[in-house]
Amino acid sequence: MVMRNLQRMLLLLFLVTTTSFVFAQTKITGTVTADDDGNPIPGVTITVKGTSVGTSTDGNGKYMIEAPVGAKILIFSYIGMTTHEAVINGNIIDLAMLGEDIGLTEIYVIADRAKERETPVAFSDVDKKEIEEQLGSRDIPLIMNSTPSVYATAGGGGSGDARINVRGFNQRNVAIMLNGVPVNDMENGWVYWSNWDGISDATSSIQMQRGLSAVNLATPSVGGTMNIITSPAEQNAGGTAKFEYGSGNFMKASVTGHSGMINEKFAASASIVRKVGDGVIDKTWTDAWAYYFGATYKINEKHKLELFALGAPQRHGQNLYKQNVATYSHEFAKELGVVQGTLDKFQEQDRKYNQNWGNVSNYSPDQYFFGKERERHDKSFLNERENFYHKPLVNLNWYAHWTSKIHQYTTVYYSGGKGGGTGTYGNIYRRDADGELSDDDYTYYYGDSPWKWDWDETIKANSGNDETVYIDEDEISREIGESVGILRNSRNDQNMVGVLSKFKILFTDNFKAQVGVDWRKAKIDHYREVRDLLGGQFFYFDGNEFESGSDYNKKLGDKIGYYSTNTVDWTGYFLQAEYSTKQLTAYGTFGHSFIAYTYTNHFKKDEDDNELFAETDIIQGYQIKGGLSYRPFDGFSVFANYGYISKSPIFDNVIDDNSGAVADDPQNEIFNAYEIGVNYQTASKTLDVKLNYYNTKWDDRAISRGIQDADGNDAIIFLRGMGQKHNGFELEAFYKPFYIIEIGAAVSFGNWEYTKDVSGTYRNFQSDGSFVEEDFDYYIADLKVGDAPQTQITGMLTIKPIKGLRLQFDARYYDNHYADFEPTSRTDEADKEQVWLTPSYFITDLHFSYEIPLKGKFDITVFAHVFNILDEIYIQDAVDNSRYNGYYGDDNQYSHTVNSA
């Protein structure tokens, strides 16, 4: 009886609440597009005439506003567009805005944003509001976990150490774009998210186009393209301030200001962010700033300039060593079936354990980084692994509308990065799990875990006055004051400039084409430098062939290890044509690229005693892709696309960074992909469903190997034949039965595996001119591709019980997640066992926000996030058969189980 009465009370409360909403206001939804090309317009301001009630469109041009009873007109306004008043005569108002002789969706053209139910590719959008409501100051890739086939993790937990995987492809085969500018590393394709720490505060929207995408740059994307668009200068003057606090003593403050439109010509927005914290994982502290500036200047009715500048100077402690599961929890390890030998080898720590640091006593000297001596983050401990970097990005966009049929979109950009990561160099003392001391770099990598750094013992050895030291009973001679082991910086200093220009030609109302060029040039300096002498006065390094004598004694900031300069020259062009009617959209794209590399080693001499230099010929790549979307009736569409990519090899597969050897026949990697899908949306926009199937084949995955050529010189050869296939189904759905409840789902089922064994021979020449026939065999057929779950199910429930209050529950289930592994390690024909399958897991997050009701021009919103509210222990990243933290039993055999992962 009590339960029945409680149910009745809840039902009555529900009816009263929803009824009050029905009678108090009218909910109006719609989509705002540009009249000239139908592109959605984000950030359009919509107000109820005569009131302070307002909202703005999201990244898809969609909006929802609650108009008070009696309201008659909505006002739509945006910079450069004709202000429009619409009469309220229903619950749906769609609007095509007219431009004042100048388009407003230019940044979307540069970034190649896909359009709902028109562009024939699978994609998902995340707008600024969703980022604010769900991200909670985590690294920005983590917001994409609500979309199908996307898997992002925080890595070891250091701020900015996240990574993202799309359809089984890691970041090297996912194009990351910021305001239309590619930001993947030009040498190896990777993305370091710490470089963009704080960018979420300035992000307007993110679009993930999965697969080959419709992006018409010469740059090919395989797994997908992640388009990040920062907020343009706001039309209305004002500002926001935000303060955040979280676990690990995390604190973040953000301030943003907008000038508003001045004289109908100029508008500017600026943000600054300060972030500090100790880190949830031990010693993964962060000390970071971020800044953003955006400005718009309307030259005249035909031309407009936009300027974007952003960066994030930061330092943070890292946790880069994956551990055996028994190190974190013996109880959890037992549940996963580990054997007693594993438990004996790996002493239990806790879930926050980090091996990349150690305590230090009575040691206060500064360290060298960012170009000068600076104070350490903390005097009580030393991080072995710390990242420090600043990578500003500036782009100037020029939008020219020469005629009503010809438009030009050009961006000139610059990115310069300085910084790097830290590590040890030389002989550093460490203690094993039983407290035994050694300086051997390898003993405890393969021994009992967890070993720990002993900085005090290292400092004691470095600061001793004896001319010799004894380590592991071996006598090591040295000069007085010489450090036997130090901390070093591995520097990666970059300067990159680029130009991206597109001409859009509207031949008819139905047919348009684009032609564009994509030019980039990068110069990258790689070197190591002395960061911390750890009690000594100098470090001995004689690896620079241009030095001698006293030059070998290195002080803080001196270069050691290696020092080279690489350049990357990229030129590309593309052609795209699109035909579109109310029911049909078809497009085709051709892109052609030319890339060349050079290498200069500043530590090594060539035959003429000059710096060792190497360069490649121009390497060409190309892509061909196209798609078709058909809309037989409103709200429903079907699409298909196909693409073929011949992708140029990255720098590391063409030039050896140590010897300067250049590959004679650099081979392109080949990708074939197709995709089919259906989309459906009800007229009321309360139900939205997307379903698609994809199939991607990767042939001739690049494998390079260093050898000697017939002249006795170092060389690189390519081993061909390794292939992968990635296919699967993806579902994305959104349902809003009534205003206070929203339901979302993202489901993906993938099948990613290696297609065949690889075998062949090559010649490795000897110093006497003879050669040895070398065989290579990789037994990988039918092995699963690791590093991301192939089954992902995400559900979202949003409840808005009262005005201004929002509760969202996110639940994610991951399965068929195979550990990462290097396929070239499978050289034993008897070793055909599948890669270790990590346990599936279920994780739930809670997001809360409340808009405090205030009168006037001020708004206050409170956000709260609880990640992993059920406190689940789960494995998000794993490596199969770890040589560092694996247990292989008495016979020392690989097991491909939890014991050796």
Side-chain angles (χ1 to χ4, degrees):
M1 181 66 69
V2 174
M3 180 60 67
R4 185 178 303 169
N5 289 336
L6 178 60
Q7 291 174 341
R8 290 174 178 173
M9 291 175 62
L10 290 173
L11 178 60
L12 178 62
L13 178 62
F14 170 77
L15 292 174
V16 170
T17 303
T18 53
T19 302
S20 67
F21 275 107
V22 171
F23 285 101
Q25 53 207 350
T26 301
K27 182 181 69 173
I28 302 170
T29 62
T31 303
V32 182
T33 58
D35 181 71
D36 61 348
D37 59 10
N39 282 321
I41 308 178
V44 174
T45 299
I46 302 141
T47 56
V48 179
K49 189 172 185 177
T51 75
S52 60
V53 177
T55 187
S56 60
T57 56
D58 62 16
N60 293 317
K62 297 180 180 180
Y63 72 92
M64 190 283 293
I65 191 169
E66 295 171 347
V69 172
K72 297 181 179 180
I73 294 176
L74 293 183
I75 300 174
F76 296 78
S77 60
Y78 203 96
I79 303 173
M81 307 295 279
T82 301
T83 299
H84 188 88
E85 294 188 359
V87 177
I88 300 174
N89 57 9
N91 297 105
I92 300 175
I93 299 178
D94 295 327
L95 181 68
M97 296 189 74
L98 296 172
E100 296 176 347
D101 296 324
I102 185 165
L104 243 295
T105 56
E106 295 96 342
I107 190 65
Y108 272 38
V109 174
I110 288 179
D112 293 316
R113 296 277 293 207
K115 291 181 285 186
E116 287 283 358
R117 260 156 289 280
E118 289 188 32
T119 309
V121 297
F123 68 93
S124 302
D125 287 307
V126 177
D127 61 27
K128 186 177 185 66
K129 187 176 181 181
E130 291 176 277
I131 295 171
E132 289 180 339
E133 292 170 341
Q134 301 172 33
L135 186 60
S137 293
R138 298 172 296 165
D139 293 345
I140 198 167
L142 297 174
I143 191 66
M144 305 310 297
N145 277 330
S146 60
T147 61
S149 294
V150 176
Y151 187 63
T153 75
S159 180
D161 289 340
R163 56 94 175 189
I164 190 169
N165 186 300
V166 183
R167 289 184 174 176
F169 295 96
N170 66 25
Q171 294 177 156
R172 286 189 172 86
N173 284 305
V174 176
I176 309 297
M177 299 173 63
L178 187 54
N179 290 329
V181 175
V183 297
N184 297 73
D185 188 281
M186 286 190 67
E187 289 181 292
N188 59 32
W190 200 251
V191 178
Y192 303 90
W193 292 101
S194 57
N195 297 339
W196 317 111
D197 203 9
I199 193 178
S200 59
D201 295 276
T203 296
S204 171
S205 64
I206 305 173
Q207 183 177 88
M208 175 66 77
Q209 296 183 31
R210 299 184 296 277
L212 300 189
S213 79
V215 172
N216 56 15
L217 293 178
T219 307
S221 59
V222 180
T225 300
M226 184 176 176
N227 280 305
I228 302 173
I229 304 296
T230 57
S231 301
E234 297 285 345
Q235 180 180 12
N236 299 318
T240 59
K242 181 166 62 175
F243 178 77
E244 302 166 65
Y245 180 80
S247 301
N249 203 28
F250 170 84
M251 288 181 285
K252 178 180 175 183
S254 310
V255 179
T256 301
H258 313 291
S259 71
M261 201 65 178
I262 301 173
N263 297 326
E264 298 299 321
K265 285 281 189 180
F266 176 79
S269 296
S271 300
I272 189 166
V273 180
R274 178 69 170 127
K275 185 168 80 169
V276 296
D278 296 333
V280 175
I281 304 301
D282 289 343
K283 304 304 183 288
T284 54
W285 51 270
T286 185
D287 182 357
W289 293 84
Y291 58 87
Y292 170 77
F293 177 78
T296 297
Y297 178 66
K298 184 178 177 182
I299 300 173
N300 54 41
E301 298 303 317
K302 299 291 186 181
H303 299 271
K304 186 175 74 170
L305 297 176
E306 275 186 349
L307 176 68
F308 295 97
L310 59 128
Q314 58 82 36
R315 299 170 55 197
H316 70 275
Q318 296 182 288
N319 172 32
L320 298 184
Y321 296 163
K322 293 182 175 70
Q323 305 292 331
N324 189 281
V325 67
T327 302
Y328 295 117
S329 170
H330 278 198
E331 180 181 355
F332 185 45
K334 290 177 183 178
E335 292 177 8
L336 299 183
V338 302
V339 298
Q340 187 62 42
T342 306
L343 301 178
D344 294 339
K345 180 176 180 179
F346 300 103
Q347 293 190 7
E348 184 179 51
Q349 303 297 306
D350 60 43
R351 290 163 61 185
K352 299 178 181 180
Y353 175 68
N354 176 11
Q355 202 167 25
N356 294 154
W357 70 279
N359 290 311
V360 65
S361 305
N362 301 318
Y363 183 66
S364 60
D366 291 341
Q367 296 181 329
Y368 189 93
F369 56 95
F370 277 139
K372 67 178 183 180
E373 294 182 37
R374 302 171 185 268
E375 288 188 3
R376 302 202 321 260
H377 173 73
D378 193 291
K379 299 296 184 183
S380 65
F381 66 86
L382 286 173
N383 284 91
E384 175 213 0
R385 296 290 189 175
E386 174 186 328
N387 179 271
F388 60 101
Y389 215 83
H390 179 205
K391 186 179 178 67
L393 174 64
V394 180
N395 48 310
L396 176 64
N397 299 340
W398 169 35
Y399 309 128
H401 298 262
W402 302 107
T403 71
S404 61
K405 300 292 187 180
I406 301 176
H407 309 280
Q408 177 189 342
Y409 308 88
T410 299
T411 180
V412 180
Y413 56 92
Y414 165 79
S415 180
K418 291 189 179 298
T422 69
T424 61
Y425 199 86
N427 299 93
I428 304 293
Y429 285 89
R430 62 184 90 191
R431 294 184 184 274
D432 67 12
D434 297 321
E436 295 295 325
L437 184 69
S438 173
D439 83 315
D440 189 332
D441 278 344
Y442 301 100
T443 298
Y444 298 124
Y445 274 127
Y446 302 96
D448 291 347
S449 184
W451 52 261
K452 297 181 179 180
W453 296 109
D454 193 326
W455 304 119
D456 286 339
E457 196 67 33
T458 304
I459 292 167
K460 178 181 176 182
N462 288 344
S463 58
N465 293 319
D466 294 334
E467 293 188 3
T468 59
V469 293
Y470 295 89
I471 299 175
D472 287 349
E473 300 181 355
D474 293 328
E475 181 180 301
I476 299 178
S477 298
R478 64 165 186 164
E479 298 181 36
I480 296 176
E482 178 186 344
S483 293
V484 297
I486 62 170
L487 286 175
R488 50 79 183 164
N489 295 322
S490 292
R491 294 291 299 269
N492 185 326
D493 294 351
Q494 305 180 6
N495 283 289
M496 182 181 73
V497 294
V499 177
L500 172 63
S501 187
K502 304 179 180 182
F503 279 87
K504 181 178 177 182
I505 305 171
L506 306 175
F507 291 100
T508 68
D509 291 341
N510 302 118
F511 181 70
K512 61 185 177 182
Q514 289 189 48
V515 58
V517 294
D518 175 17
W519 174 83
R520 283 172 267 163
K521 184 179 181 64
K523 177 184 177 183
I524 309 102
D525 289 327
H526 296 282
Y527 58 92
R528 284 181 171 172
E529 64 186 7
V530 179
R531 177 184 180 90
D532 194 328
L533 289 166
L534 296 180
Q537 299 175 31
F538 65 90
F539 182 77
Y540 184 84
F541 173 74
D542 61 1
N544 185 347
E545 296 178 0
F546 296 93
E547 294 180 338
S548 62
S550 60
D551 294 335
Y552 296 152
N553 295 340
K554 303 298 182 181
K555 302 296 183 64
L556 290 181
D558 288 342
K559 292 180 174 63
I560 58 173
Y562 55 81
Y563 178 25
S564 63
T565 298
N566 301 338
T567 66
V568 182
D569 287 274
W570 168 287
T571 303
Y573 67 90
F574 63 86
L575 305 169
Q576 185 177 80
E578 179 182 315
Y579 177 79
S580 183
T581 66
K582 183 178 180 181
Q583 291 186 312
L584 179 71
T585 298
Y587 86 96
T589 299
F590 172 76
H592 192 192
S593 61
F594 308 84
I595 193 167
Y597 304 113
T598 72
Y599 166 83
T600 304
N601 193 319
H602 304 293
F603 278 1
K604 289 189 176 183
K605 295 180 179 181
D606 62 13
E607 296 177 352
D608 299 319
D609 290 336
N610 297 317
E611 291 180 332
L612 181 63
F613 176 80
E615 64 181 337
T616 69
D617 295 329
I618 293 175
I619 306 169
Q620 299 187 49
Y622 63 92
Q623 61 173 329
I624 302 171
K625 57 188 179 184
L628 180 71
S629 172
Y630 177 59
R631 301 171 290 279
F633 53 86
D634 288 344
F636 181 81
S637 66
V638 295
F639 71 88
N641 62 62
Y642 170 78
Y644 179 91
I645 293 176
S646 177
K647 185 179 179 182
S648 304
I650 63 175
F651 185 100
D652 293 341
N653 283 327
V654 182
I655 299 180
D656 185 272
D657 241 335
N658 181 45
S659 67
V662 179
D664 289 332
D665 59 341
Q667 303 294 319
N668 286 5
E669 298 178 307
I670 304 300
F671 297 89
N672 274 283
Y674 69 87
E675 191 174 62
I676 56 175
V678 297
N679 302 320
Y680 175 70
Q681 184 183 73
T682 60
S684 63
K685 295 181 171 59
T686 57
L687 175 64
D688 195 335
V689 180
K690 301 177 181 179
L691 175 66
N692 64 276
Y693 170 79
Y694 66 90
N695 190 305
T696 304
K697 188 177 179 182
W698 183 2
D699 292 321
D700 289 328
R701 175 174 170 176
I703 305 173
S704 60
R705 179 168 295 179
I707 63 165
Q708 277 196 336
D709 63 18
D711 297 325
N713 300 316
D714 291 322
I716 297 177
I717 62 166
F718 280 84
L719 311 180
R720 307 197 60 157
M722 184 171 291
Q724 297 173 211
K725 66 177 181 181
H726 297 239
N727 56 61
F729 290 91
E730 297 168 339
L731 170 68
E732 196 169 12
F734 173 82
Y735 179 51
K736 190 173 184 178
F738 39 86
Y739 171 66
I740 68 169
I741 290 182
E742 298 174 359
I743 302 170
V747 180
S748 54
F749 298 99
N751 179 34
W752 316 326
E753 60 186 21
Y754 293 91
T755 56
K756 59 184 177 180
D757 293 334
V758 183
S759 298
T761 62
Y762 60 92
R763 292 181 177 182
N764 194 356
F765 286 86
Q766 309 300 301
S767 58
D768 61 1
S770 62
F771 61 84
V772 176
E773 289 279 358
E774 301 277 4
D775 295 325
F776 65 91
D777 297 283
Y778 304 124
Y779 301 98
I780 56 174
D782 301 325
L783 293 184
K784 297 292 186 179
V785 174
D787 203 31
Q790 303 192 23
T791 299
Q792 304 178 36
I793 302 174
T794 299
M796 293 156 282
L797 172 64
T798 302
I799 305 173
K800 302 175 182 178
I802 61 174
K803 185 175 182 179
L805 177 62
R806 182 181 186 276
L807 295 171
Q808 178 175 326
F809 297 89
D810 293 344
R812 302 189 303 280
Y813 173 77
Y814 296 114
D815 196 9
N816 292 323
H817 182 184
Y818 293 86
D820 195 16
F821 78 106
E822 176 51 58
T824 56
S825 66
R826 289 298 191 104
T827 57
D828 183 357
E829 187 174 9
D831 182 19
K832 298 285 288 184
E833 188 174 348
Q834 191 56 262
V835 182
W836 179 53
L837 177 62
T838 71
S840 59
Y841 69 92
F842 178 87
I843 188 169
T844 306
D845 302 331
L846 169 65
H847 309 285
F848 164 93
S849 65
Y850 180 60
E851 300 177 14
I852 299 175
L854 296 174
K855 294 183 178 180
K857 297 183 178 180
F858 292 92
D859 298 303
I860 296 178
T861 304
V862 179
F863 297 91
H865 311 272
V866 183
F867 301 107
N868 190 14
I869 60 176
L870 300 179
D871 199 29
E872 289 293 321
I873 299 177
Y874 58 95
I875 296 173
Q876 67 173 14
D877 299 287
V879 171
D880 185 50
N881 282 351
S882 167
R883 60 175 180 155
Y884 298 126
N885 287 306
Y887 174 72
Y888 301 104
D890 295 336
D891 55 1
N892 199 33
Q893 294 295 311
Y894 293 129
S895 65
H896 305 295
T897 68
V898 64
N899 296 284
S900 56

